[in-house]
Amino acid sequence: DAGVIQSPRHEVTEMGQEVTLRCKPISGHNSLFWYRQTMMRGLELLIYFNNNVPIDDSGMPEDRFSAKMPNASFSTLKIQPSEPRDSAVYFCASSPKQGMVEKLFFGSGTQLSVL
Amino acid sequence: KQEVTQIPAALSVPEGENLVLNCSFTDSAIYNLQWFRQDPGKGLTSLLLIQSSQREQTSGRLNASLDKSSGRSTLYIAASQPGDSATYLCAVDGGSQGNLIFGKGTKLSVKP
């Protein structure tokens, strides 16, 4: 398996633009997690899905952020409109069992810069 | 609210040295604690997982200990190598499924 695949690897956009980050989890994994990493706050959980259903989105900063998982092999994290403070590395991770954080496999992340 | 702190933020050592990375957490009611490694431009890779009932775990040159009552964990790296250079993060699982609480990491540099 190729592991968790995220795209794009880097995204540079201007304030106010819509940004869509993509994630393909490992085949057969039931849980998918979106994390954000910044120097100030470290790594924070934004939202996670079990069997394509959002379970906990309490980490989503505000209504400008939305996440979907239309099927077991694809998820998106959308920011609309984007702001400079959204600049961070966004990681997607998947797990073979519902909510199982003991076996998390991370993608390489998307480096987002909002100018 | 659980908080995880890692000290120091950065550490530089010569090759061959044994070293200890520290992690502390404020709420001792945890299910487990994990140590991760992060290489530049890469995601995180889990190194060791210690269940709350365990005191330590070993994998090769790595040994992680856990003292729940004092809210501390250490990662011991023996005979360090330049390939060990990376950022090491610890994370605690408080049982709220899916929500690992991460420290900000210790950036380790091992000089040849």
Side-chain angles (χ1 to χ4, degrees):
Chain A
D1 201 313
V4 177
I5 299 172
Q6 292 187 245
S7 64
R9 289 297 310 274
H10 303 275
E11 177 80 35
V12 180
T13 191
E14 292 188 347
M15 184 173 66
Q17 296 297 306
E18 177 179 297
V19 175
T20 299
L21 311 181
R22 296 173 176 80
C23 175
K24 177 179 167 55
I26 293 173
S27 177
H29 280 198
N30 294 326
S31 291
L32 182 140
F33 305 79
W34 282 101
Y35 286 89
R36 178 172 69 175
Q37 186 175 39
T38 61
M39 291 288 290
M40 284 290 291
R41 300 174 66 90
L43 204 65
E44 302 172 292
L45 178 68
L46 299 176
I47 185 171
Y48 83 94
F49 296 82
N50 279 346
N51 293 322
N52 315 336
V53 177
I55 301 301
D56 182 359
D57 65 354
S58 59
M60 297 284 263
E62 46 198 274
D63 291 345
R64 297 184 298 106
F65 285 68
S66 63
K68 293 183 179 180
M69 193 163 186
N71 57 63
S73 59
F74 184 65
S75 178
T76 59
L77 178 67
K78 186 176 293 185
I79 309 172
Q80 166 65 16
S82 58
E83 297 182 2
R85 61 191 167 123
D86 302 330
S87 297
V89 182
Y90 291 81
F91 287 103
C92 175
S94 70
S95 167
K97 197 173 173 183
Q98 289 186 16
M100 186 180 183
V101 294
E102 291 91 344
K103 292 283 185 186
L104 274 183
F105 295 82
F106 281 79
S108 297
T110 295
Q111 174 80 57
L112 173 64
S113 297
V114 183
L115 306 176
Chain B
K1 180 186 172 188
Q2 179 74 269
E3 292 184 4
V4 179
T5 304
Q6 291 186 248
I7 295 173
L11 180 65
S12 182
V13 300
E15 181 177 4
E17 266 203 12
N18 302 325
L19 59 101
V20 174
L21 307 181
N22 296 295
C23 172
S24 61
F25 46 95
T26 55
D27 186 348
S28 62
I30 65 170
Y31 277 66
N32 59 58
L33 182 144
Q34 289 188 71
W35 282 92
F36 290 85
R37 170 181 172 140
Q38 184 176 22
D39 291 284
K42 300 286 181 62
L44 281 69
T45 301
S46 182
L47 297 172
L48 288 165
L49 168 73
I50 312 177
Q51 299 289 354
S52 62
S53 57
Q54 297 174 322
R55 296 299 298 267
E56 64 180 300
Q57 280 287 332
T58 298
S59 175
R61 293 183 295 108
L62 305 180
N63 175 277
S65 69
L66 174 63
D67 184 341
K68 243 182 51 166
S69 61
S70 67
R72 292 180 184 176
S73 175
T74 61
L75 179 67
Y76 174 82
I77 302 177
S80 58
Q81 302 171 358
D84 296 329
S85 298
T87 297
Y88 292 81
L89 297 93
C90 72
V92 298
D93 178 5
S96 176
Q97 276 199 345
N99 200 358
L100 283 178
I101 307 298
F102 284 85
K104 292 184 180 177
T106 294
K107 186 175 182 179
L108 173 66
S109 177
V110 181
K111 305 293 187 185

